[in-house]
Amino acid sequence: MSLLGEAIFAHLSHVAPLTALLRTSADAPVRIYPIHLPQAPTYPAITYQIVSDERVFHHGGRSRLQLARVQFSIWGKDTDGGSGGYRSVQAVAQALHEALDGHDGAFGNHLVKCVPLGGRDLGESEPGIYHHAADFSVAFSE
């Protein structure tokens, strides 16, 4: 896992409104994963991936600043034959947005600035599975 990935996980796993939606109990692991869901996941859950990153250079050489585009996928599943999976995905997406939108501070020991780039609902081939993707621009100091 990259430093940015570790910092994202560390930050999000301590945001109470988000973790309340992503844990079955206070001592259970938070369901935030890099890139892929585990086999037979518990829903809702989040996966994240660093879509692109670039180092910032200045006249004196490389700076400590990294710019990245990070995509979060929020996953849900209907368990009652209704639209509960979709509602859970939307609730987690809102909590994620509130945790990151305009965040200007620390993720652990790293300074971070987050700006939302947009989100969208995506169709899935398996009935009852819901997926929402949200992209953020992240400026990150190494």
Side-chain angles (χ1 to χ4, degrees):
M1 190 182 313
S2 70
L3 288 177
L4 178 56
E6 291 173 9
I8 289 169
F9 177 82
H11 174 70
L12 293 179
S13 64
H14 289 93
V15 175
L18 183 62
T19 60
L21 299 168
L22 297 173
R23 283 190 168 137
T24 53
S25 66
D27 59 341
V30 65
R31 295 184 303 269
I32 301 173
Y33 309 100
I35 304 176
H36 300 289
L37 289 172
Q39 282 191 318
T42 300
Y43 295 96
I46 293 176
T47 57
Y48 63 90
Q49 63 181 341
I50 299 168
V51 176
S52 64
D53 68 354
E54 63 181 91
R55 307 277 188 226
V56 176
F57 289 84
H58 51 71
H59 292 292
R62 183 175 156 216
S63 76
R64 296 186 60 212
L65 184 65
Q66 177 180 342
L67 301 176
R69 186 173 133 230
V70 181
Q71 182 176 76
F72 296 89
S73 289
I74 300 96
W75 303 90
K77 183 176 184 176
D78 278 339
T79 56
D80 60 4
S83 59
Y86 182 75
R87 285 192 303 273
S88 70
V89 164
Q90 294 305 310
V92 171
Q94 180 64 34
L96 176 70
H97 191 78
E98 290 171 4
L100 293 177
D101 185 8
H103 178 85
D104 189 0
F107 281 5
N109 295 327
H110 305 281
L111 295 177
V112 173
K113 172 80 174 171
C114 297
V115 177
L117 298 175
R120 64 213 162 275
D121 292 334
L122 300 169
E124 289 300 313
S125 60
E126 185 178 338
I129 299 292
Y130 295 93
H131 179 195
H132 178 85
D135 291 0
F136 283 82
S137 175
V138 179
F140 174 78
S141 70
E142 298 179 309

